[in-house]
Amino acid sequence: MKLPVAELHIHLEGTLEPETILRLAGQNNIDLPWPSLQELRAQYNFSNLQSFLDLFYANMAVLRTAADFQEITTAYLHRAHASGVRHVELFFDPQAHLERGLALAEVIAGIRAGLDAGLARWGITHRLIACFWRHAPAESAMEILRTLVQERHAIDGIGLDSSELGYPPILFQEVFAYAREHGLHVVAHAGEEGPAEYIVQALDLLKVERIDHGIRCLEDPALVQRLVKEQMPLTVCPLSNVRLRTVDTMAEHPLRRMLEAGLKVSIHSDDPAYFGGYLDANLAAVIGQFELSREEQAVLARNSIESSFLEEPAKARLCAEVDAWLAAEHL
Ligand code: HPA
Ligand code: ZN
């Protein structure tokens, strides 16, 4: 039995595997600067967040139709199912696709069709979260958010991603207020490359329900105390942190310290096609590095479920499955 988990930090565009990128490029007549698998794979050496984002945004040019979005969503869910994922809260970047002339309705219809297929085939429940680019003006985010709300597009929440340094959460205060007023869930990347102060701003000014990454909170003891007291979820992505050089090695990853501090952390995959593995590989990396006991693994799994936007009965059912997983050890 696989440990049942909720995947709460996953960018759909980050699940585009190199083989899929080249196949879709051929299918959709897109010229990529790296036409062979070998040349494409040679690009996957990142020195920081920006060096990854440059490749990530270039590669998503291959996504053109609702069918493309449906296909990659279904492919991701198939792979997630094999990792023990029972519930997913999927991020996508509307600005990336609007910029290339795609219609919001088409993008969302494709993703939704994929999510529905995942529910039917593997019983994976879902939420969909539109992430706004912090490197783009807040006016752009606001305009798209108004359209999403007014045209009643099927999203459950908003997030904030892309280049962090130099783009503090305060820039997006109005966008997040509007989202909250319209009943949307709110999350934000903060404290990945940016300072602990950005986490404080995300809490105080954006009033987020979860912090994505958040690993730099450890630099501010008062903030750690507050995050523990509020049991604010932090969605940590270990392989991403190492590949983007926010930590030098897995041995230096702060996960163990975060758990010991009493922070509500859970493990996720961020952009698995870019960072060397899906949720199971991220869990395996930290279990191996920190010799996490089965009880500690169950804590991470329960945290992921409790930090989700599922209704309470669904959370209770999944947590009971975690308990069953834990008990199975003694059989
Ligand atoms: N950080 C910021 N933006 C992103 C990331 C990330 O880890 N992945 C995809 N967009
Ligand atoms: Zn992310």
Side-chain angles (χ1 to χ4, degrees):
M1 181 187 184
K2 274 263 178 193
L3 176 61
V5 285
E7 169 75 289
L8 308 179
H9 186 160
I10 172 78
H11 301 262
L12 174 63
E13 301 89 346
T15 69
L16 257 179
E17 293 286 350
E19 293 79 1
T20 314
I21 292 168
L22 292 185
R23 181 169 46 76
L24 288 176
Q27 208 169 298
N28 292 333
N29 291 315
I30 307 288
D31 281 330
L32 287 175
W34 26 83
S36 74
L37 201 53
Q38 196 183 9
E39 287 163 282
L40 176 55
R41 284 194 190 282
Q43 310 303 314
Y44 285 58
N45 241 331
F46 311 117
S47 49
N48 54 26
L49 174 59
Q50 193 59 50
S51 65
F52 151 71
L53 290 171
D54 293 344
L55 180 70
F56 173 72
Y57 295 134
N59 283 342
M60 59 175 93
V62 302
L63 296 168
R64 298 299 315 174
T65 67
D68 298 339
F69 283 90
Q70 178 175 352
E71 179 199 319
I72 65 164
T73 305
T74 311
Y76 161 67
L77 291 170
H78 192 183
R79 181 64 187 79
H81 171 67
S83 314
V85 172
R86 305 297 312 281
H87 173 72
V88 61
E89 305 201 342
L90 186 64
F91 294 156
F92 73 109
D93 281 355
Q95 283 149 312
H97 310 305
L98 286 168
E99 202 179 63
R100 296 182 292 105
L102 274 62
L104 214 44
E106 184 151 0
V107 172
I108 295 174
I111 300 173
R112 280 273 162 203
L115 289 171
D116 289 343
L119 179 62
R121 286 186 210 170
W122 303 294
I124 302 176
T125 51
H126 55 255
R127 298 289 185 270
L128 183 59
I129 297 178
C131 281
F132 293 109
W133 280 346
R134 57 208 315 158
H135 72 263
E139 292 73 31
S140 156
M142 197 66 191
E143 190 187 326
I144 297 163
L145 178 59
R146 278 188 206 284
T147 306
L148 286 167
V149 168
Q150 285 163 11
E151 294 180 1
R152 298 177 177 278
H153 287 281
I155 61 159
D156 304 291
I158 69 161
L160 193 60
D161 66 2
S162 185
S163 324
E164 187 179 10
L165 286 166
Y167 302 101
I170 191 172
L171 298 169
F172 295 87
Q173 203 167 352
E174 278 174 44
V175 175
F176 276 67
Y178 183 89
R180 284 185 278 105
E181 279 160 24
H182 289 84
L184 291 168
H185 287 293
V186 288
V187 301
H189 285 54
E192 177 186 19
E193 273 192 348
E197 166 59 18
Y198 286 15
I199 302 175
V200 176
Q201 281 191 19
L203 297 173
D204 288 342
L205 306 180
L206 307 187
K207 304 189 191 311
V208 295
E209 296 162 87
R210 289 198 298 256
I211 297 284
D212 293 312
H213 293 297
I215 57 174
R216 288 194 59 191
C217 70
L218 292 178
E219 293 167 21
D220 178 348
L223 172 60
V224 170
Q225 232 178 22
R226 172 183 180 182
L227 292 167
V228 171
K229 184 157 169 266
E230 295 176 9
Q231 284 294 283
M232 174 60 58
L234 305 175
T235 63
V236 173
C237 308
L239 291 175
S240 166
N241 296 150
V242 174
R243 290 295 293 275
L244 298 186
R245 317 285 291 271
T246 49
V247 299
D248 288 334
T249 61
M250 197 55 79
E252 288 157 90
H253 194 280
L255 179 77
R256 167 67 77 193
R257 279 177 281 146
M258 295 175 90
L259 278 172
E260 281 169 2
L263 289 161
K264 195 172 186 76
V265 290
S266 50
I267 299 295
H268 308 285
S269 63
D270 211 3
D271 302 283
Y274 288 86
F275 302 146
Y278 287 76
L279 204 149
D280 47 359
N282 276 273
L283 272 174
V286 291
I287 291 168
Q289 183 64 55
F290 300 110
E291 299 182 348
L292 299 181
S293 65
R294 281 179 62 97
E295 182 51 62
E296 286 169 321
Q297 295 170 44
V299 168
L300 290 172
R302 279 191 214 104
N303 284 352
S304 76
I305 293 159
E306 288 164 3
S307 302
S308 76
F309 298 136
L310 278 168
E311 303 80 14
E312 288 304 324
K315 287 184 185 179
R317 275 196 300 276
L318 286 179
C319 283
E321 288 189 30
V322 174
D323 294 341
W325 174 88
L326 197 53
E329 178 187 19
H330 307 295
L331 292 180

